[in-house]
């Protein structure tokens, strides 16, 4: 399979400048084994072949999820990165990632997920030295099925007990993601049937980011996706739709998170 030419629409929310990025990489998202599904949202594989060309900076606006990533030079666990994530790719390579449900990494970690926020830690600190054997096997092949088999066999060998609270939190985050018009933490807490204080504790323990940050990130994902669709976008109307005080508020938020004003981003 070619290592570039992905349909931009298939890159999904959070990938910035999808039209350009799609010409540089191949992206696959294998579904997890049903036994892993309560913890893992999906796997993802990014492969590229830029030999003879220039390096490319891939930019994403991360979701409220923890990732286990098999990449050079060593496997890592990425906590929630609250700013944009930038990675340079060059020559020939590939990366295999495991995207955990919001809250789904807590049973593997055995401690508050907020300890990982804005951090990248060696995967062996969480999963032990056996993760290096998986790393070697994953990077030795470019076959998606084979990579997935190695990673899932490893994770299934240390599968923790299901945590109903983690699954409750995942459902909360899913509701926020699917309803970016939620603006206020107290409104969402009321919708979820919990107090604001309990919601904040749950998100610190299981998600690794505050409810306010998750609400804001959902709105920014929506705004970026609208901009990526092309055509003329009424930013003032979108600001109202997403619960911003005005267009200037949306512009400030968008620029701070993505690194470019909405108009400039949509024209790129």
């Amino acid at each position: 399979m070619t290592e570039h030419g992905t349909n931009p629409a298939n890159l999904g929310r959070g990938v910035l400048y999808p039209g350009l990025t799609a010409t540089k990489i191949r992206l696959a998202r294998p579904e997890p084994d049903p036994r892993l599904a309560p913890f893992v949202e999906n796997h993802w594989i990014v492969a590229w072949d830029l030999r003879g060309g220039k390096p490319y900076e891939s930019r994403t606006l991360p979701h409220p999820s923890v990732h286990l990533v098999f990449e050079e030079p060593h496997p890592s666990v990425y906590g929630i990165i609250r700013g944009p994530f930038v990675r340079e790719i060059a020559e020939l390579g590939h990366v295999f990632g495991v995207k955990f449900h919001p809250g789904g990494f807590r049973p593997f970690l055995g401690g508050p997920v907020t300890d990982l926020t804005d951090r990248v830690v060696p995967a062996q600190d969480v999963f032990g030295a056996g993760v290096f054997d998986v790393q070697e096997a994953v990077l030795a092949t470019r076959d998606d099925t084979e990579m997935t088999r190695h990673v899932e066999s490893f994770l299934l060998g240390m599968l923790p007990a299901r945590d109903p609270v983690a699954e409750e939190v995942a459902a909360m985050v899913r509701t926020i993601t699917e309803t970016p018009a939620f603006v206020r933490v107290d409104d969402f807490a009321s919708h979820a049937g919990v107090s604001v204080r309990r919601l904040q504790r749950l998100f610190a323990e299981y998600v690794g980011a505050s409810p306010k940050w998750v609400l804001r990130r959902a709105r920014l994902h929506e705004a970026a996706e609208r901009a990526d669709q092309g055509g003329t976008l009424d930013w003032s109307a979108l600001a109202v739709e997403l619960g911003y005080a005005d267009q200037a508020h949306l512009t400030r938020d968008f620029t701070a998170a993505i690194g470019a004003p909405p108009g400039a981003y949509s024209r790129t």
Side-chain angles (χ1 to χ4, degrees):
M1 180 183 293
T2 181
E3 302 296 11
H4 52 81
T6 299
N7 184 339
N10 294 336
L11 293 180
R13 281 189 172 188
V15 177
L16 302 178
Y17 307 101
L20 180 57
T21 300
T23 68
K24 306 294 184 180
I25 67 167
R26 175 178 67 85
L27 173 67
R29 289 194 182 93
E31 292 294 318
D33 182 290
R35 292 167 290 179
L36 288 171
F39 310 94
V40 174
E41 183 172 337
N42 61 260
H43 305 300
W44 52 268
I45 301 165
V46 174
W48 62 91
D49 186 350
L50 300 181
R51 289 174 293 185
K54 296 179 180 180
Y56 176 69
E57 282 193 345
S58 172
R59 295 175 177 267
T60 60
L61 194 63
H63 292 259
S65 299
V66 175
H67 297 254
L68 167 62
V69 182
F70 296 92
E71 60 183 347
E72 295 286 2
H74 51 70
S76 300
V77 171
Y78 286 74
I80 290 179
I81 307 299
R82 289 179 292 186
F85 178 76
V86 181
R87 177 193 170 100
E88 181 179 277
I89 59 175
E91 297 298 326
L92 178 72
H94 65 276
V95 174
F96 188 103
V98 180
K99 180 183 180 182
F100 290 83
H101 289 295
F105 195 71
R106 173 64 174 78
F108 287 91
L109 185 63
V113 180
T114 193
D115 290 347
L116 298 174
T117 302
D118 288 325
R119 296 180 60 208
V120 181
V121 303
Q124 69 267 26
D125 290 357
V126 179
F127 293 99
V131 76
F132 289 113
D133 293 333
V134 184
Q135 164 94 347
E136 183 177 358
V138 165
L139 296 185
T141 181
R142 296 181 73 81
D143 181 83
D144 292 359
T145 301
E146 188 175 351
M147 283 188 268
T148 304
R149 178 175 58 81
H150 286 300
V151 173
E152 292 203 323
S153 176
F154 176 73
L155 291 176
L156 287 170
M158 55 178 58
L159 198 65
R162 290 178 64 169
D163 182 342
V165 178
E167 294 176 32
E168 175 189 359
V169 171
M172 290 180 181
V173 176
R174 187 162 54 249
T175 298
I176 292 173
T177 300
E178 294 172 353
T179 317
F182 274 116
V183 177
R184 295 170 54 88
V185 173
D186 53 355
D187 287 342
F188 181 75
S190 177
H191 171 84
V194 298
S195 69
V196 170
R197 180 171 294 183
R198 173 164 171 75
L199 186 68
Q200 291 170 334
R201 286 200 301 263
L202 286 173
F203 274 51
E205 181 76 18
Y206 283 87
V207 180
S210 69
K212 182 178 181 179
W213 182 90
V214 176
L215 287 164
R216 176 172 173 262
R217 181 51 50 94
R219 290 187 289 165
L220 288 169
H221 277 156
E222 179 71 17
E225 185 174 62
R226 297 285 189 92
D228 290 329
Q229 291 171 358
T232 302
L233 182 60
D234 186 337
W235 287 99
S236 180
L238 181 61
V240 172
E241 180 184 339
L242 296 180
Y244 284 94
D246 51 32
Q247 183 178 345
H249 185 195
L250 168 59
T251 297
R252 288 194 301 272
D253 211 16
F254 190 99
T255 304
I258 292 175
Y265 174 81
S266 63
R267 291 192 299 269
T268 303

